[in-house]
């Protein structure tokens, strides 16, 4: 939806789709629940189905070809819907579409996803391989649109080799130490160049070698 400023000025929607973050559950909301291969699987092979709303359930399978096609189809449907609404209401259509995991740790551990993660030395390898596939197809028909995904939680570390497609935006969401309990990479009350943020700065710089577009989620 519109931010307050956008509503007041009538400029545009920044984001398209149903949710600008933790959107896996939105994309998978109408998928057949009996097709376990579409969803993340735990160590015992049991499916963990993402719940619409962003913070519970599981994820989708990053390596499954049908899951990729389903996400692509729904993103195109979102774009077509949003462009039609923008034309009717006479504002510029949104240019950023998010596909990112729900806010939980239940990543897919199927052989296909773990092969991508192992090859790249980080689980983000599976995520970037997935989002690159979607983004390449989006670029063919909608070259102006950016496809955004999180570098967050189990995807915080960048891959060794893969680079994000030119129309992919990496949304860094480094956990803040203000959450306590030893959690967090980033001291959000200090500059990124502060010695306590050495690890966070290294992540920013490393992701900059793997993507043309970075966005920063600041918890404070």
């Amino acid at each position: 939806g519109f931010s307050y400023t956008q509503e007041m000025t009538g400029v545009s929607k920044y984001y398209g789709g149903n949710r600008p973050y933790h959107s896996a559950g939105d994309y998978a909301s109408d998928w057949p629940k009996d097709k376990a291969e579409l969803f993340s699987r735990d160590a015992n092979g049991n499916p963990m189905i993402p719940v619409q709303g962003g913070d519970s359930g599981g994820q989708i399978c990053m390596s499954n070809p049908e899951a990729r096609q389903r996400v692509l189809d729904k993103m195109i449907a979102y774009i077509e819907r949003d462009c039609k609404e923008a034309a009717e209401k006479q504002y510029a259509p949104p240019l950023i579409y998010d596909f990112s995991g729900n806010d939980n740790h239940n990543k897919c551990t199927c052989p296909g996803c773990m092969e991508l993660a192992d090859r790249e030395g980080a689980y983000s390898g599976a995520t970037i391989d997935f989002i690159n596939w979607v983004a390449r197809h989006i670029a063919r028909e909608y070259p102006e649109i950016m496809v955004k995904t999180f570098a967050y939680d189990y995807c915080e570390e960048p891959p060794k080799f893969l680079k994000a497609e030119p129309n992919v935006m990496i949304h860094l969401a480094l956990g803040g130490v203000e959450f306590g309990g030893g959690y967090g990479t980033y001291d959000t009350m200090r500059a990124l160049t502060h010695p306590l943020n050495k690890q966070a700065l290294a992540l920013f710089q490393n992701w900059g070698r793997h993507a043309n577009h970075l966005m920063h989620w600041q918890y404070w």
Side-chain angles (χ1 to χ4, degrees):
F2 286 96
S3 71
Y4 175 76
T5 304
Q6 289 169 304
E7 288 179 350
M8 292 296 290
T9 60
V11 179
S12 177
K13 289 184 177 181
Y14 295 135
Y15 293 103
N18 277 11
R19 193 180 304 275
Y21 48 82
H22 298 315
S23 57
D26 293 83
Y27 281 89
S29 62
D30 58 353
W31 294 7
K33 302 301 186 288
D34 60 343
K35 298 194 74 169
E37 66 273 17
L38 297 177
F39 306 105
S40 60
R41 276 157 281 173
D42 63 19
N44 296 316
N46 299 312
M48 298 179 287
I49 298 172
V51 176
Q52 194 169 11
D55 63 352
S56 57
Q59 309 288 352
I60 74 162
C61 178
M62 296 281 99
S63 59
N64 181 273
E66 183 180 345
R68 294 183 175 200
Q69 185 65 51
R70 284 176 174 270
V71 168
L72 174 63
D73 291 345
K74 183 159 283 191
M75 189 175 290
I76 289 173
Y78 284 150
I79 293 168
E80 291 174 346
R81 178 201 68 187
D82 295 343
C83 286
K84 180 180 178 181
E85 179 181 323
E88 291 172 350
K89 297 183 178 179
Q90 297 185 328
Y91 61 79
L95 296 177
I96 302 174
Y97 284 77
D98 177 86
F99 176 85
S100 57
N102 274 17
D103 195 5
N104 61 60
H105 310 295
N106 298 327
K107 64 182 182 291
C108 187
T109 57
C110 79
C113 288
M114 295 313 299
E115 180 182 352
L116 291 169
D118 292 344
R119 185 189 74 193
E120 294 293 332
Y123 198 84
S124 60
T127 302
I128 300 303
D129 192 83
F130 174 94
I131 209 71
N132 276 351
W133 186 91
V134 173
R136 282 193 294 269
H137 286 77
I138 291 293
R140 294 173 186 173
E141 191 170 353
Y142 301 99
E144 73 281 8
I145 283 177
M146 301 292 298
V147 180
K148 181 175 74 69
T149 197
F150 262 145
Y152 169 72
D153 197 79
Y154 56 82
C155 291
E156 186 175 275
E157 293 284 342
K160 285 184 178 179
F161 309 110
L162 274 175
K163 295 185 184 297
E165 288 289 318
N167 61 328
V168 167
M169 180 179 290
I170 300 299
H171 193 172
L172 285 99
L174 307 184
V177 296
E178 66 268 18
F179 289 100
Y183 174 80
T185 303
Y186 186 24
D187 189 329
T188 53
M189 298 304 290
R190 291 181 167 88
L192 190 58
T193 51
H194 190 279
L196 288 176
N197 278 326
K198 183 178 180 180
Q199 182 183 358
L201 178 60
L203 283 168
F204 270 84
Q205 292 171 332
N206 200 357
W207 271 111
R209 291 186 279 270
H210 291 269
N212 291 347
H213 305 280
L214 300 181
M215 179 183 288
H216 179 209
W217 178 294
Q218 172 61 276
Y219 283 94
W220 273 91

